[in-house]
Coordinates of all heavy atoms in Angstrom, one line a residue:
I509 N 87.2 128.7 85.4 CA 87.4 127.6 84.4 C 86.1 127.2 83.7 O 85.5 126.2 83.9 CB 88.0 126.3 85.1 CG1 89.2 126.7 86.0 CG2 88.5 125.3 84.1 CD1 89.8 125.6 86.8
G510 N 85.6 128.2 82.9 CA 84.5 128.0 82.0 C 83.3 127.2 82.7 O 82.9 127.6 83.8
E511 N 82.8 126.2 81.9 CA 81.6 125.5 82.3 C 81.9 124.7 83.7 O 80.9 124.7 84.5 CB 81.4 124.4 81.2 CG 80.1 123.7 81.3 CD 78.8 124.5 81.3 OE1 78.9 125.7 81.1 OE2 77.8 123.9 81.6
F512 N 83.1 124.3 83.9 CA 83.4 123.6 85.1 C 83.2 124.5 86.4 O 82.5 124.1 87.3 CB 84.9 123.1 85.1 CG 85.3 122.5 86.4 CD1 84.9 121.2 86.8 CD2 86.3 123.1 87.2 CE1 85.3 120.6 88.0 CE2 86.7 122.6 88.4 CZ 86.2 121.3 88.7
S513 N 83.6 125.7 86.3 CA 83.5 126.7 87.4 C 82.0 127.1 87.5 O 81.5 127.3 88.6 CB 84.4 127.9 87.1 OG 85.7 127.6 87.4
R514 N 81.3 127.2 86.4 CA 79.9 127.6 86.5 C 79.1 126.5 87.2 O 78.4 126.8 88.1 CB 79.3 127.8 85.0 CG 78.0 128.6 85.0 CD 77.3 128.4 83.7 NE 77.0 127.1 83.2 CZ 76.1 126.3 83.8 NH1 75.3 126.7 84.7 NH2 75.9 125.0 83.3
K515 N 79.3 125.3 86.9 CA 78.6 124.2 87.5 C 79.0 124.1 89.0 O 78.2 123.9 89.8 CB 79.0 122.8 86.9 CG 78.2 122.6 85.6 CD 78.5 121.1 85.2 CE 77.9 120.9 83.8 NZ 78.4 119.7 83.2
S516 N 80.3 124.3 89.3 CA 80.8 124.3 90.7 C 80.1 125.3 91.5 O 79.6 125.1 92.6 CB 82.3 124.5 90.8 OG 82.9 123.6 89.9
K517 N 80.0 126.5 90.9 CA 79.3 127.7 91.7 C 77.9 127.4 91.9 O 77.4 127.6 93.0 CB 79.5 128.9 90.8 CG 79.5 130.2 91.7 CD 80.0 131.4 91.0 CE 79.6 131.5 89.5 NZ 80.1 132.7 88.9
E518 N 77.2 126.8 90.9 CA 75.8 126.5 91.1 C 75.6 125.4 92.2 O 74.7 125.5 93.1 CB 75.2 126.0 89.8 CG 74.9 127.0 88.8 CD 74.3 128.3 89.4 OE1 73.2 128.2 90.1 OE2 74.8 129.4 89.2
A519 N 76.5 124.4 92.2 CA 76.4 123.3 93.2 C 76.6 123.9 94.6 O 75.9 123.5 95.5 CB 77.4 122.2 92.9
V520 N 77.5 124.8 94.7 CA 77.9 125.3 96.0 C 76.7 126.2 96.6 O 76.4 126.2 97.7 CB 79.2 126.1 96.0 CG1 79.5 126.8 97.2 CG2 80.3 125.2 95.6
K521 N 76.1 127.0 95.6 CA 75.0 127.8 96.0 C 73.8 127.0 96.6 O 73.3 127.2 97.6 CB 74.5 128.7 94.8 CG 75.4 129.9 94.6 CD 74.7 130.7 93.5 CE 75.6 131.8 93.0 NZ 75.1 132.4 91.8
E522 N 73.5 125.9 95.8 CA 72.4 125.0 96.2 C 72.8 124.3 97.5 O 71.9 124.3 98.4 CB 72.3 123.9 95.1 CG 71.1 123.1 95.2 CD 71.1 121.9 94.2 OE1 71.4 122.1 93.0 OE2 70.8 120.8 94.7
L523 N 74.0 123.9 97.7 CA 74.4 123.3 98.9 C 74.3 124.2 100.2 O 73.8 123.8 101.2 CB 75.8 122.7 98.8 CG 76.4 122.1 100.0 CD1 75.8 120.8 100.3 CD2 78.0 121.9 99.9
S524 N 74.7 125.4 100.0 CA 74.7 126.3 101.2 C 73.3 126.6 101.6 O 73.0 126.8 102.8 CB 75.5 127.6 100.9 OG 74.9 128.3 99.8
K525 N 72.4 126.6 100.6 CA 71.0 126.8 101.0 C 70.5 125.5 101.7 O 69.8 125.7 102.8 CB 70.1 126.9 99.7 CG 70.0 128.4 99.2 CD 68.9 128.6 98.2 CE 69.3 129.8 97.4 NZ 69.2 129.6 95.9
L526 N 70.8 124.4 101.2 CA 70.4 123.1 101.9 C 71.0 123.1 103.3 O 70.3 122.6 104.2 CB 71.0 122.0 101.1 CG 70.7 120.5 101.5 CD1 69.3 120.2 101.3 CD2 71.6 119.5 100.8
C527 N 72.2 123.6 103.5 CA 72.8 123.5 104.9 C 72.4 124.8 105.7 O 72.8 124.8 106.9 CB 74.3 123.5 104.7 SG 75.0 122.1 103.8
N528 N 71.8 125.7 105.1 CA 71.5 127.0 105.8 C 72.7 127.6 106.3 O 72.8 128.0 107.5 CB 70.5 126.7 106.9 CG 69.7 127.9 107.3 OD1 69.8 128.9 106.6 ND2 69.1 127.9 108.5
V529 N 73.7 127.7 105.5 CA 75.0 128.3 105.9 C 75.3 129.5 105.0 O 75.0 129.5 103.8 CB 76.1 127.2 105.7 CG1 77.5 127.8 105.6 CG2 76.1 126.2 106.9
E530 N 76.0 130.5 105.6 CA 76.4 131.7 104.8 C 77.4 131.3 103.8 O 78.4 130.5 104.1 CB 76.9 132.8 105.7 CG 77.3 134.0 105.0 CD 78.0 135.0 105.8 OE1 78.2 134.8 107.1 OE2 78.5 136.0 105.3
L531 N 77.3 131.8 102.5 CA 78.3 131.4 101.5 C 78.9 132.7 100.9 O 78.1 133.7 100.6 CB 77.6 130.7 100.3 CG 78.3 130.5 99.0 CD1 79.5 129.6 99.2 CD2 77.4 130.0 97.9
K532 N 80.2 132.7 100.8 CA 80.8 133.9 100.2 C 81.6 133.4 99.0 O 82.4 132.4 99.1 CB 81.8 134.6 101.2 CG 81.1 135.2 102.4 CD 82.1 136.0 103.2 CE 81.4 136.7 104.3 NZ 82.3 137.5 105.1
I533 N 81.4 134.0 97.9 CA 82.1 133.6 96.7 C 83.2 134.6 96.3 O 82.8 135.8 96.2 CB 81.1 133.4 95.5 CG1 80.1 132.3 95.9 CG2 81.9 133.0 94.2 CD1 79.1 132.0 94.8
Y534 N 84.4 134.2 96.1 CA 85.5 135.1 95.7 C 85.9 134.7 94.3 O 86.1 133.5 94.0 CB 86.7 135.0 96.6 CG 86.4 135.5 98.0 CD1 85.7 134.8 98.9 CD2 86.8 136.8 98.4 CE1 85.5 135.3 100.2 CE2 86.6 137.3 99.6 CZ 85.9 136.5 100.5 OH 85.7 137.0 101.8
K535 N 86.1 135.7 93.4 CA 86.5 135.5 92.0 C 88.0 135.6 92.0 O 88.6 136.7 92.4 CB 85.9 136.5 91.1 CG 84.8 136.0 90.3 CD 84.3 137.0 89.3 CE 83.9 136.2 88.1 NZ 83.4 137.0 87.0
L536 N 88.7 134.6 91.5 CA 90.1 134.6 91.4 C 90.6 135.8 90.6 O 91.5 136.5 90.9 CB 90.6 133.3 90.7 CG 92.1 133.1 90.6 CD1 92.7 133.0 92.0 CD2 92.4 131.8 89.9
K537 N 89.9 136.0 89.5 CA 90.2 137.1 88.6 C 90.2 138.5 89.3 O 91.1 139.3 89.1 CB 89.2 137.2 87.4 CG 89.5 138.2 86.4 CD 90.1 137.6 85.1 CE 90.4 138.7 84.1 NZ 91.2 138.2 83.0
D538 N 89.3 138.7 90.2 CA 89.2 139.9 90.9 C 90.3 140.0 92.0 O 90.8 141.1 92.3 CB 87.8 140.1 91.7 CG 86.7 140.1 90.7 OD1 86.9 140.5 89.5 OD2 85.5 139.9 91.1

Side-chain angles (χ1 to χ4, degrees):
I509 310 176
E511 189 56 11
F512 175 72
S513 285
R514 196 195 56 75
K515 278 190 187 164
S516 306
K517 206 163 37 178
E518 284 318 305
V520 174
K521 280 186 187 167
E522 191 188 311
L523 176 70
S524 62
K525 272 194 204 131
L526 181 71
C527 302
N528 200 16
V529 158
E530 184 188 353
L531 166 70
K532 292 187 178 180
I533 299 179
Y534 291 80
K535 255 187 149 178
L536 185 63
K537 182 104 180 168
D538 295 342

